[in-house]
Amino acid sequence: MNLFVLLNIALLLLVAAFLYFLHTKHVKFSNRVFIALGLGILLGVGLQLAYGVESDTITESMPWYNIIGNGYVRLLQMIAMPLVFISILTAFTKVTFGKNLGKAAAVILSVLIGTTAVAASLGIASTVIFDLDASQIIHGDAEIARGESLVERSAEVTTLPEQILSMFPANPFADLTGSRATSTIGVVIFAAFLGFSYLTLRRKEEETAENVKKGIEALYGLIMGVVRIILRLTPYGVAAIMARTVATSDLGAIMDLGKFVLASYAALIAMFLLHLVIVALTGLSPLTYLKKTAEVLLFAFTSRSSAGALPLNIQTQTKRLGVPDGIANFAGSFGLSIGQNGCAGVYPAMLAVMIAPTVGINPLSPGFIATLILIVAISSFGVAGVGGGATFAAIIVLSAMDLPIALAGILISVEPLIDMGRTALNVSGSMVSGVVSSRVTKDLDTKIYNEPADKAPLVQ
């Protein structure tokens, strides 16, 4: 390990020490998160200017940064499955949730799939407005290698019935380890079965049911304690992730492909604005939604992991938006594998329209557009909420549209930058589905929703 690597590690530790100092001075959690974002960007820019993106020093330094950044994300992923499981099970101990379960789940799925179809439409519109064409991109060694790997991965693509079937848990204990792309949905289903079993037990054996309820509530308290401990690490994780992302980003490639980056973010921002419109149509303030979800969206943006953002997602819905525990967990969990607006909606649609002209297909024909939107919406089932989910969604869509799968790797140079916005949009979509569902079932606590965000801190 050379002296410069040690210096880079020391700089990150200095940032962490400053963030801890802010914590001791009782600076608000949200402010510390935003300060961490800024410090991470500054540190990343400094590292890239000092060494260059492909230098050995950067290559040797980043694994140490990953201990804090990726380590934090892994801790969140560690607690995500237990949190989903126990929260849904706890929700069944509340009588009202059992009555509204079917209606709530139907609304959540409708919002997730419907918004994904709209997201695909916006992706198509953005591609046309910016006049994007896959043939405009120079294919270097990285793009060619990525294309070859995607062709090999296309063998993993399954039919829609197989995707739906994969959501059912054959081994719920394996799903608790996150062993499959649809493990979260499997855990939800298993917890729901146990919940209905509890409701039956309560009618027949009240004393036994009461003991079960106490055990569930005790376990819930224990899991939430772990969640709170991990969430306190958010500023440190955000700083490390952002520093690594900026330090390793190929700024030259971003400049060369700036048009594609702008088009992607135009579609993503347009879809997020539509999320705010949907919130407004429910009679709630979109500005309040924006203020209260800023922290979780920021984390999703920096981490590029919908699964990692799940604990923050659920906490935000329940503590700040007034969504009941059960609905928040269903919305957050379903949003990991169904109807991801960014990864399964915007991205595959844009790629399909960009690639179509290269094989002589008119991407503006009504038949092509209608088919593309339908396929995007249907194929959004079973897309994993972890890194690579967008690529898998693109493979499914391109395969179904008979378009060359290898060209899905043409944006590899700017993939991380675009993926940040896609992930934030995915998380926002799941929270919007929770808010809308709660509003429809009349379970939303508007008092919690309307109170200032400072009164409901995610972390004490």
Side-chain angles (χ1 to χ4, degrees), residues 148-160:
E148 292 174 352
S149 69
L150 292 180
V151 171
E152 294 176 3
R153 190 176 175 185
S154 64
E156 302 173 18
V157 174
T158 58
T159 63
L160 179 60

Side-chain angles (χ1 to χ4, degrees), residues 2 73 88 138 153 216 218 275 278 285 293 352 394 421 440 447 449:
N2 65 50
V73 173
I88 289 179
I138 298 174
R153 190 176 175 185
I216 292 172
H275 285 175
I278 293 172
S285 167
T293 60
V440 170
K447 182 180 178 181
Y449 185 94

Side-chain angles (χ1 to χ4, degrees), residues 391-433:
T391 300
F392 188 67
I395 291 174
I396 295 173
V397 171
L398 295 178
S399 176
M401 298 292 292
D402 291 324
L403 295 173
I405 294 170
L407 291 180
I410 56 178
L411 297 177
I412 184 174
S413 299
V414 291
E415 179 76 10
L417 180 61
I418 298 174
D419 196 40
M420 295 167 81
R422 291 194 308 239
T423 306
L425 186 65
N426 294 343
V427 173
S428 178
S430 71
M431 290 191 291
V432 167
S433 71

